[in-house]
Amino acid sequence: MNRTLSKIVYFTDTITGSIGHFMENISVMLTSTVFILLTASLTRDTIMDVFTWPIILFVIIMLFLVRPLSIWISTIGTELTLQEKTLVGWIAPRGVVALTVSGYFAGLLIEDGYPNASILTPLTLALVFITVCAHGFSIGPIARKLGLANTNSSGVVMVGASSFSIAFAQHLKDMGASVLITDTSDDQLYRARKFGIPTYHGEILSEHSDFEVDMTPYDTILAMKGDAAYNALVCQTYIPEFGYHNTFSLPIGTSQVEHREIPSALKANLLFEEGATFTELNKKVNIGYTFHTIEINSKQTLLKEKRKSKGIPLCIKRKNGNLVFVTFKEKPLLDEGDQLVVLELEK
């Protein structure tokens, strides 16, 4: 029954996601078409008028005076900090709406006997073009300068609060990585909270999670519940957000029927090595296996290091802080300065 329900939910979610992607692509095409239609009537002389000093001065005043001043006035008494007000005052959302409105009113004014109103559309086009370029290239450096950019190392979302995932999350947290464990069982999450691990109590597949969970600090998701169909559904749901190469699933057990029934294409990247399944890893943690970090001093293969440690290699923390997880298909090379995380029995 659970297997059938998971499949129904999966196909429903797949259809909904496909419709969402289709609507998003259509909206991009229509928006691009609107830009083409609005600017198609502009003559070469009108476009050249955009690069005159009066218009350039107008754009500069809009960028550095009008927009920041309007934001500062409208945010008086709010909880926004000085840095947040500065960033919002610099990043101005201007685009197809501004062009459409200006083109509409320009036509009305020309009909009413104001021929100079024809400058409205190129004026707005200049404002949109310059602000998109200026803001697009500057938002990153300015956000970092103001302390509003995320500077944490790779973050990981773990779906499922089992003995293994909690211990694994605690070790990654101690290494400086941002970790979040999600589960529908508050009792399971209670064990994670005791170690100071951030948690989310709720269904990660529900629409409410989009509003309740901030995914900004995380760039990788690990589906590690004890249900292969559920893990596949989580991966397929979050592949558009995290990307295929950052979406991983933990095998349940090679003997389980539901694991064999799920096509390989729906399992995302299968974590760790063959035999390191949900059942086995939790069993090892419960009987005393612990996580260890091995400092890599020279370039070598993962197999060579595994032979020395005799543990199960799980992931690698690169010198730049990024986490690379070991999978069935990919055994990443080790470089000097990397840190290899393994699960092995305490010596």
Side-chain angles (χ1 to χ4, degrees):
M1 181 65 182
N2 291 336
R3 201 159 59 241
T4 303
L5 181 60
S6 297
K7 290 180 179 179
I8 293 174
V9 173
Y10 166 72
F11 287 114
T12 303
D13 185 78
T14 301
I15 294 173
T16 304
S18 299
I19 294 175
H21 290 309
F22 173 76
M23 295 298 294
E24 183 178 353
N25 292 334
I26 288 295
S27 65
V28 172
M29 292 176 61
L30 291 177
T31 301
S32 303
T33 304
V34 171
F35 270 105
I36 295 172
L37 292 176
L38 287 172
T39 56
S41 60
L42 298 178
T43 64
R44 182 178 301 177
D45 293 335
T46 305
I47 295 176
M48 292 306 298
D49 289 340
V50 170
F51 301 99
T52 58
W53 279 111
I55 291 184
I56 294 176
L57 182 61
F58 169 80
V59 173
I60 292 175
I61 292 175
M62 289 293 296
L63 279 173
F64 296 99
L65 182 61
V66 177
R67 170 70 181 183
L69 184 61
S70 63
I71 292 298
W72 276 85
I73 294 175
S74 61
T75 55
I76 293 176
T78 64
E79 297 180 355
L80 292 178
T81 64
L82 175 63
Q83 292 81 3
E84 291 169 341
K85 290 181 180 180
T86 303
L87 185 63
V88 174
W90 172 242
I91 303 301
R94 301 187 184 94
V96 68
V97 175
L99 271 176
T100 305
V101 173
S102 66
Y104 173 74
F105 280 105
L108 293 179
L109 291 172
I110 291 174
E111 290 178 0
D112 289 341
Y114 297 93
N116 291 333
S118 60
I119 197 65
L120 280 178
T121 300
L123 184 66
T124 309
L125 177 64
L127 184 62
V128 171
F129 177 78
I130 294 175
T131 53
V132 167
C133 293
H135 297 159
F137 286 106
S138 64
I139 184 172
I142 291 177
R144 288 190 291 269
K145 189 71 174 178
L146 295 173
L148 299 177
N150 181 31
T151 57
N152 295 330
S153 57
S154 298
V156 182
V157 177
M158 296 186 182
V159 181
S162 63
S163 300
F164 169 76
S165 62
I166 293 174
F168 191 25
Q170 182 185 7
H171 189 80
L172 293 180
K173 180 174 176 290
D174 293 339
M175 294 179 67
S178 300
V179 185
L180 174 71
I181 294 183
T182 76
D183 205 297
T184 55
S185 172
D186 193 55
D187 292 335
Q188 294 289 98
L189 291 176
Y190 174 74
R191 296 188 298 152
R193 286 194 289 267
K194 287 196 303 183
F195 297 106
I197 301 171
T199 62
Y200 169 66
H201 178 217
E203 177 54 70
I204 195 65
L205 295 175
S206 70
E207 294 182 0
H208 296 289
S209 65
D210 295 337
F211 306 99
E212 296 174 351
V213 183
D214 180 15
M215 292 292 186
T216 305
Y218 312 104
D219 54 16
T220 303
I221 186 167
L222 312 181
M224 299 196 292
K225 290 279 286 186
D227 186 333
Y230 183 86
N231 288 343
L233 180 57
V234 170
C235 291
Q236 287 301 300
T237 301
Y238 282 94
I239 278 178
E241 181 171 348
F242 289 92
Y244 175 78
H245 295 289
N246 293 323
T247 307
F248 302 88
S249 176
L250 180 64
I252 306 307
T254 55
S255 62
Q256 291 198 16
V257 176
E258 63 268 25
H259 180 66
R260 294 199 303 269
E261 287 184 350
I262 298 176
S264 298
L266 305 183
K267 298 175 185 176
N269 296 288
L270 295 181
L271 283 168
F272 314 135
E273 60 184 28
E274 189 173 356
T277 62
F278 173 87
T279 305
E280 287 299 317
L281 291 174
N282 279 281
K283 179 180 177 181
K284 290 182 182 298
V285 170
N286 291 332
I287 64 175
Y289 277 68
T290 56
F291 297 87
H292 296 277
T293 301
I294 301 174
E295 301 288 342
I296 306 301
N297 299 319
S298 60
K299 291 185 178 181
Q300 56 183 293
T301 63
L302 190 63
L303 180 61
K304 180 179 178 181
E305 186 61 43
K306 180 190 173 183
R307 288 172 178 170
K308 290 193 296 184
S309 66
K310 297 183 180 180
I312 300 174
L314 304 177
C315 69
I316 302 167
K317 184 178 181 182
R318 300 296 190 188
K319 288 183 290 186
N320 58 5
N322 292 335
L323 292 174
V324 178
F325 289 89
V326 179
T327 65
F328 274 26
K329 296 181 180 180
E330 183 177 359
K331 302 297 186 290
L333 295 175
L334 300 171
D335 201 355
E336 185 178 357
D338 290 344
Q339 294 178 307
L340 175 64
V341 178
V342 299
L343 178 66
E344 58 184 356
L345 192 61
E346 187 72 45
K347 297 178 182 179

